[in-house]
Amino acid sequence: MNFEEYITIPIIVVGVLVVLGLAFWARYKTVSPDEAMLVTGSFLGNKNASVDESGRKVKIIRGGGAFILPIFQKAEYLSLLSHKLDVSTPEVYTEQGVPVMADGVAIIKIGGAVEDVATAAEQFLGKPTEALKGEAQEVLEGHLRAILGSMTVEEVYRNRDKFAQEVQGVAAKDLKKMGLQIVSFTIKDLRDKHGYLDALGKPRIAAVKRDAEIAEAEAVRDARIQKALASEAGQKAELLRDTNIAEAEKDKEMKVASFKRDQDTAKAEADQAYSIQEARAKQSVVEEQMQVELVRKEREIDLEAKEILRREKQYDAEVKKKADADRYAVEQAAEANKAKQLREADAMQYRIEAEAKAQAAQKRLDGLAVAEAERAKGTAEAEVIRLRGLAEAEAKEKLADAFAKFGEAAVLDIIVKMLPELAGKVAEPISSIDKLTVVDTGNGEGAARLSNYVTSLMSTAPEMLKSVSGIDVNQLIQGLTSKAIAPAAPKAALSVQAPAAASKPAAPPTPIKPVDPIE
């Protein structure tokens, strides 16, 4: 057999034992002291078993435990706790025919014997506790009424314990048949509605009151007598006490004075002897201290000499070791510093070369970019100047053609047609104002000043036209006026030419655009 087979067999055995143990633990039932376990089924045995007349067997277990066989046996529990019952009766006529009512308290429980438990289980197992209490209460009340009817009121009133014992003795037999027993039964109250019980108590109450008053008077008398005797004895005792105290204080003072005198004498002698002895003792102590101090000084001198030698040797050794260590540390630091400086120099050289190359490349790229930008800017500016010159020349050429083609009258006509548009452009900033408030100064010049402002702007139009296009409108008007005043022949010629020039609607006059001067 190999090692695995040796291990497998014990494991199986342990597993079987664990399973059996768990099964036993699961099926083993225990019972607490306040309950009973009833086991029914097969294989019950004869211990703690109860068999009825029909041969049915029940096993009853109290304060222990039992193993319940699965399938074959079943366990149920029955509580053995006590129960309190309030027992009362309606009006019951006693032997004398007097109606009375009685109230009592009973404590019952299931009996502890096997037969009692079996009987109670047969009748009450599965029922609620109230059912058990209700049946027991009815039995007790019935017997309470029966016993009360067989006794006189005086018997019940004077001997309640006997009445309760008779009720308990009679009811216990019937409760025994139910598996119950009476733990205790007490009569709480006995009353009637006609005052019979009160009448029975009145003579006794009167006699008790009389005896109480007599006893109270006698007690007061005896108390006063005893108080007077006690006061007299107390005063005598106080006087005797004061006399004895005075004599005792006198003896005390005499003894204290004598004791103090002897004490002062002894103290003076003792102080003198103490002073002499103290001086001698101080002298001896000083001599001993001087000897001890001398020996201590000598010992300290020897120790200091030895300590000086030890420190000299230790100093020589430590200085030499420290010098060697410092020299080695300096050499190592110098080597390390040298290697560090070499590495830093190499790194610095590499970084400088890289930075120089990067700066050179950057400067070259910056120069190329600046040159390219300057070249493009120059080309653009030259092109703008060329186009501006061409536009200006073309404008002047068209202006010259217009003058040659249409004459001064046509040019003046074009300029006059342009004046309304120019006036609109001049007044356009005023039209963009959302709200304008005109304040009249009282002379009616408020609104006129606004129109005069536009008129004054229009009066500068000829000068502005002259400065922009070079056309002098005033000179043209004066020239046309001088020609109108000339002889008739020229006037007829002018009148003939004017319709001819005006009879060409197919060629409208080209508006003259102002040309910016070349910078």
Side-chain angles (χ1 to χ4, degrees):
M1 300 178 81
N2 54 16
F3 180 74
E4 294 181 355
E5 294 178 353
Y6 279 112
I7 295 298
T8 303
I9 294 174
I11 291 175
I12 294 174
V13 173
V14 171
V16 172
L17 293 176
V18 169
V19 172
L20 292 176
L22 293 175
F24 182 80
W25 175 75
R27 300 301 300 175
Y28 188 80
K29 306 294 183 180
T30 58
V31 186
S32 60
D34 60 342
E35 61 184 0
M37 183 173 67
L38 288 81
V39 183
T40 58
S42 304
F43 310 107
L44 297 177
N46 296 324
K47 186 177 179 181
N48 297 328
S50 176
V51 183
D52 59 4
E53 297 176 355
S54 61
R56 291 177 298 181
K57 182 183 293 186
V58 178
K59 186 176 182 180
I60 299 172
I61 299 172
R62 289 191 56 201
F67 182 77
I68 309 302
L69 296 175
I71 301 174
F72 297 101
Q73 294 179 355
K74 179 181 179 182
E76 296 186 37
Y77 296 90
L78 184 65
S79 175
L80 302 180
L81 295 174
S82 61
H83 305 282
K84 175 185 174 182
L85 300 178
D86 292 325
V87 183
S88 62
T89 64
E91 287 187 338
V92 178
Y93 289 93
T94 63
E95 186 179 9
Q96 299 170 333
V98 178
V100 295
M101 295 176 289
D103 295 331
V105 176
I107 306 298
I108 63 169
K109 66 181 292 296
I110 296 175
V114 175
E115 294 78 9
D116 295 339
V117 174
T119 303
E122 183 178 357
Q123 297 188 28
F124 300 110
L125 189 63
K127 289 184 178 181
T129 306
E130 297 299 327
L132 184 149
K133 294 171 66 176
E135 295 180 10
Q137 185 173 2
E138 290 179 359
V139 171
L140 286 171
E141 288 178 351
H143 287 292
L144 179 61
R145 288 193 295 270
I147 299 299
L148 188 60
S150 64
M151 297 179 67
T152 64
V153 178
E154 287 78 2
E155 289 177 348
V156 177
Y157 180 77
R158 294 172 183 173
N159 197 349
R160 294 189 181 187
D161 292 338
K162 180 181 177 182
F163 174 58
Q165 290 176 1
E166 289 186 4
V167 173
Q168 184 175 352
V170 175
K173 297 178 182 179
D174 292 338
L175 293 176
K176 179 72 174 177
K177 297 177 183 179
M178 301 166 62
L180 304 176
Q181 67 179 15
I182 301 177
V183 178
S184 67
F185 181 79
T186 305
I187 298 299
K188 291 197 304 182
D189 188 20
L190 186 67
R191 63 189 186 280
D192 70 303
K193 296 181 179 179
H194 306 284
Y196 187 87
L197 293 173
D198 293 337
L200 288 177
K202 285 181 180 180
R204 179 61 181 166
I205 291 171
V208 170
K209 287 183 177 180
R210 181 196 62 201
D211 295 341
E213 290 175 355
I214 293 171
E216 184 179 0
E218 291 177 353
V220 170
R221 179 197 64 194
D222 295 339
R224 288 180 178 178
I225 294 171
Q226 293 296 328
K227 184 177 180 181
L229 294 175
S231 178
E232 181 182 0
Q235 290 178 359
K236 291 180 179 179
E238 288 180 357
L239 292 174
L240 181 61
R241 183 199 63 186
D242 294 339
T243 303
N244 294 332
I245 290 173
E247 291 179 356
E249 287 181 352
K250 183 181 70 174
D251 294 339
K252 175 185 175 183
E253 289 176 357
M254 292 179 66
K255 290 180 180 179
V256 167
S258 176
F259 177 75
K260 187 175 181 182
R261 183 180 63 250
D262 296 338
Q263 186 179 10
D264 292 341
T265 303
K267 183 179 180 182
E269 293 176 355
D271 291 341
Q272 184 177 5
Y274 177 77
S275 299
I276 295 171
Q277 188 65 28
E278 184 180 8
R280 292 177 182 176
K282 286 182 178 180
Q283 184 178 359
S284 300
V285 169
V286 170
E287 291 177 356
E288 292 294 333
Q289 288 180 351
M290 291 177 66
Q291 293 293 332
V292 171
E293 186 67 20
L294 182 60
V295 173
R296 187 180 64 80
K297 291 291 185 181
E298 293 177 354
R299 184 62 178 170
E300 287 181 355
I301 292 170
D302 294 338
L303 291 175
E304 287 179 357
K306 292 180 180 180
E307 182 67 19
I308 290 170
L309 293 175
R310 186 187 66 78
R311 288 183 178 178
E312 288 179 355
K313 293 179 180 180
Q314 183 180 0
Y315 180 75
D316 293 340
E318 289 179 355
V319 169
K320 185 176 180 180
K321 290 181 180 179
K322 185 176 181 181
D324 294 339
D326 291 342
R327 184 178 66 255
Y328 180 76
V330 170
E331 292 176 356
Q332 293 298 321
E335 291 294 334
N337 191 19
K338 181 179 178 182
K340 180 180 179 182
Q341 289 178 356
L342 290 175
R343 289 194 300 271
E344 290 178 353
D346 294 338
M348 181 65 73
Q349 181 179 358
Y350 178 76
R351 185 173 67 254
I352 291 171
E353 292 177 355
E355 290 178 354
K357 291 179 180 179
Q359 290 177 359
Q362 185 65 33
K363 288 181 178 180
R364 183 176 60 82
L365 294 175
D366 292 343
L368 292 175
V370 171
E372 185 66 23
E374 292 291 338
R375 185 177 63 79
K377 181 179 180 182
T379 303
E381 290 178 352
E383 184 66 19
V384 168
I385 292 170
R386 185 181 65 81
L387 293 175
R388 188 175 295 171
L390 291 175
E392 185 178 356
E394 184 178 358
K396 290 181 177 180
E397 184 179 356
K398 289 182 179 181
L399 181 60
D401 292 341
F403 275 108
K405 187 175 183 180
F406 298 105
E408 294 179 354
V411 173
L412 182 61
D413 181 64
I414 293 171
I415 292 173
V416 169
K417 289 180 179 180
M418 290 174 58
L419 289 178
E421 184 179 357
L422 180 60
K425 294 296 183 180
V426 171
E428 186 177 357
I430 297 175
S431 65
S432 63
I433 297 174
D434 294 335
K435 183 178 180 181
L436 180 64
T437 302
V438 179
V439 180
D440 194 353
T441 58
N443 298 324
E445 298 179 354
R449 286 193 177 186
L450 180 62
S451 59
N452 293 335
Y453 170 72
V454 178
T455 306
S456 63
L457 288 177
M458 287 301 300
S459 64
T460 61
E463 297 295 333
M464 181 174 58
L465 186 61
K466 181 179 179 181
S467 62
V468 172
S469 61
I471 300 173
D472 191 351
V473 178
N474 294 328
Q475 187 176 2
L476 287 175
I477 293 173
Q478 290 176 2
L480 291 174
T481 304
S482 61
K483 289 180 180 180
I485 300 174
K491 182 177 181 181
L494 179 62
S495 62
V496 174
Q497 292 177 358
S503 63
K504 295 182 181 180
T510 303
I512 300 173
K513 296 181 180 181
V515 180
D516 296 335
I518 298 175
E519 295 179 356

